[in-house]
Amino acid sequence: MFSTKSQLRKRTPENGTDRENYLSLLVDEYLNSSSLDAKCQVLANLANFAYDPINYCFIRDVGALDIFLYVLKNESNDKLVNFACGGISNLCLDPLNTTYILDSGILNLVPRLLKSGNTDIVASTLSIIIQIHNSLGKPELFNTYLKILKLNIKKSKMLSNRFPYIAMNNKNYQKICKLHTSTFNSVSFKAGDKIRIQKTLTQKDLDTFSNLTSDHNHLHKNNGNKRPIVHGALLNGLVAGLIGTHLPGPGTILVSQTMKFPNKCFVGEKLTISVELVDVRKILKVKFFCVVEEEKKVVFEGEAKLILAKDC
């Protein structure tokens, strides 16, 4: 869900770091880090912030958009490129960002990105094209890049059940659908669709989350012989990230949620976070789990009811 300025003020403690400064710190961390894992984590965070329109101007001002563009032009690592594509895809909803992105020469990069073996990169690139098409009103632009995908039938099939939802928020959705019917089949979500990732949370992750939320409970700190416990809300955020970016994906809005924490989750434990679609109607239903696989320990589980933005 999107934020307002008043909500940001309420969530920022009196002596806390405001949103613009926090994003600036993330940019500095990316620029000064030599660790690929750290760069991936920072870029993923920046891409998530790009989802909320209230952050658009901050992301431009602190140079995060320039980092996304630099990565697409100069980096070959799929993870970095994927996060950069996702961030730019979100930012293209803003006309000022779209103009800036076009001036950077991004259209010259699109053919290479569409030929990527990573379907997440291809899907995000298509989303970028859709948003630019929406701004420029040039269907020939969209058709040109679809021809590239037609050369790879296997990739087209893999994307066929994702592409319609990338376009869900687009006001020219029906027009765009007609452009891709020769390449993509209109496949709906189906019960049983799953997505999962693995992640290991560090003390730095907890400290960052504590500073952002003002939750400085000592249980989340390194306290002698006791291992720090991961915030329940942070686990919920990891699940929200999967729901909002992968399944069902961008445009998903939370209606209601039930959750429980059967066991404690400690810093350093390798988590498997999974989301499964269990009911497909106007209101979608998913179930989710966070599990420490080594111990077969469930630390977070629940269900959520969702709607897609087009139904609002």
Side-chain angles (χ1 to χ4, degrees), residues 208-277:
T208 300
F209 189 79
S210 292
N211 291 332
L212 189 63
T213 61
S214 300
D215 181 358
H216 296 289
N217 189 326
H218 70 277
L219 294 175
H220 308 308
K221 300 288 185 181
N222 195 331
N223 188 17
N225 295 325
K226 294 184 178 180
R227 298 167 67 189
I229 299 173
V230 175
H231 304 72
L234 179 50
L235 295 176
N236 194 29
L238 295 176
V239 170
L242 271 186
I243 290 173
T245 58
H246 292 285
L247 184 69
T252 303
I253 297 174
L254 178 66
V255 176
S256 64
Q257 183 179 14
T258 60
M259 66 184 85
K260 57 182 178 180
F261 302 87
N263 296 284
K264 298 183 182 72
C265 177
F266 297 104
V267 164
E269 291 185 319
K270 187 174 183 179
L271 290 170
T272 297
I273 303 110
S274 61
V275 173
E276 179 179 352
L277 192 58

Side-chain angles (χ1 to χ4, degrees), residues 36-46 83 199-200 202 205:
L36 176 60
D37 287 343
K39 283 180 175 288
C40 286
Q41 186 171 346
V42 171
L43 209 61
N45 285 337
L46 289 172
F83 292 137
K199 188 171 184 65
T200 302
T202 65
D205 294 325

Side-chain angles (χ1 to χ4, degrees), residues 119-159:
T119 54
D120 286 332
I121 292 174
V122 176
S124 291
T125 304
L126 284 171
S127 179
I128 293 170
I129 297 170
I130 290 170
Q131 303 302 347
I132 293 175
H133 166 272
N134 202 31
S135 297
L136 299 180
K138 293 185 177 181
E140 66 273 14
L141 174 72
F142 197 78
N143 270 329
T144 299
Y145 296 124
L146 284 177
K147 290 177 182 177
I148 298 172
L149 285 177
K150 289 179 182 179
L151 300 176
N152 191 331
I153 302 302
K154 181 179 179 181
K155 186 185 300 180
S156 297
K157 289 180 178 178
M158 292 174 69
L159 286 166

Side-chain angles (χ1 to χ4, degrees), residues 8 20 33 43 59 61 67 83 108 112 121-123 155 168 199 211 222 237 242 307:
L8 283 185
E20 184 173 7
S33 176
L43 209 61
I59 285 176
D61 292 345
I67 288 179
F83 292 137
N108 296 327
R112 172 172 60 83
I121 292 174
V122 176
K155 186 185 300 180
M168 199 67 76
K199 188 171 184 65
N211 291 332
N222 195 331
L242 271 186
I307 58 174

